[in-house]
Amino acid sequence: MNPRTIKALLKKDIALFTGNRFYLLITVLGLIFYIAIYLILPSKVDEKLSLGMYAPVVPPAFEQLTAQGAEIEFFETEAALKQAVLDGGHQVGVSLPADIMEVWNAGGKPGITVYYSATAPPEIAEAIVTLIKELSYIQTGQALQFDTTEEILGPDLLGAQIALRDRMRPMLAVLILLTEVMTLAALIAVEIEQGTARALLVTPMRTSDLFAAKGILGVGLALGQAVIFMGLVGGFSHQPLLILATLIIASIFVVGAGFLLASLARDTNAVTGWGIMVLILLAVPGFGAVVPGLLADWAKVIPSYYLIDTVNRVVNYGAGWSDAAGNLLVMSGISAVLLGAGLLVLRRRFQ
């Protein structure tokens, strides 16, 4: 590859990018918009306890909770209670056995099951057990007249409760990156439509120089915006080198996806249409970071899952290199395959 040729091509591509008002606008305004969303979202968690309960027979002492204004939702089945906690409707669910009064009257200890949401803070466990202990004492006049079984529903990520805007941070970072898939593909599509790419290939310039310039531009646009965003929203507060490495791999993924999209779309309108569909699909795993436990294992077939999961675990839960190694390996493999496929198909279209 010729560095001087690549430099000249980069100047041309940057001029083409700045001359395209639509993609320049969505690039600049998109970055500002995502930063504004992060700053507007709540920075503190909701400390209000949301409690669900399954109780075939409600002991009188437990009825005092609703009488005192506590927000408790009763469910007809234990399965419905577990699903409500898993879906995020309640932080905690308490399941009382049907024979609780008989066991208490006989001097035994009924088994009470407590279900916790994966996003519930660890202090809730102690608070709920203390609450049940007090109600048990009120009911029987004796302490510790029950046995509890605790179960966390959904992925247990260190038991930390994360503010909404911090849970949104990985998704916003990925949306910034994925937007540049359309930008890069549109720039290539314009050159194909105008015949600029074929005209350049008539010169002594090599195809590798052309692709290298496009790749550097794509990585620069995607990585530059992602770094600015993560820097402004505190994304580099923990393991900055790991986050930077993740974003670099993601930028290569963006270039490969941009090449592939440009080679399959006939014009810029098709690039925009297909690009939006691709963006929506790749953004789906982000909802799993916002609401832990929302998505099933099928989300792992979406390539962006490993990027979002890595950023989420590192930034929000303090994961390190060893924790993210598997995701980084998968992301690198997917990015390499996507880049190779994009180069192969795009080269054929130029010929």
Side-chain angles (χ1 to χ4, degrees), residues 209-252:
D209 295 333
L210 179 62
F211 288 152
K214 302 295 184 188
I216 293 173
L217 178 65
V219 169
L221 288 174
L223 182 61
Q225 292 183 82
V227 167
I228 292 173
F229 173 79
M230 294 297 282
L232 292 176
V233 302
F236 292 110
S237 58
H238 178 74
Q239 294 283 2
L241 293 180
L242 176 54
I243 291 296
L244 182 60
T246 303
L247 295 179
I248 291 174
I249 296 174
S251 300
I252 297 174

Side-chain angles (χ1 to χ4, degrees), residues 108-131:
K109 295 183 178 181
I112 298 177
T113 304
V114 183
Y115 299 104
Y116 300 101
S117 169
T119 59
E123 58 268 19
I124 282 187
E126 182 179 352
I128 290 298
V129 172
T130 301
L131 174 62

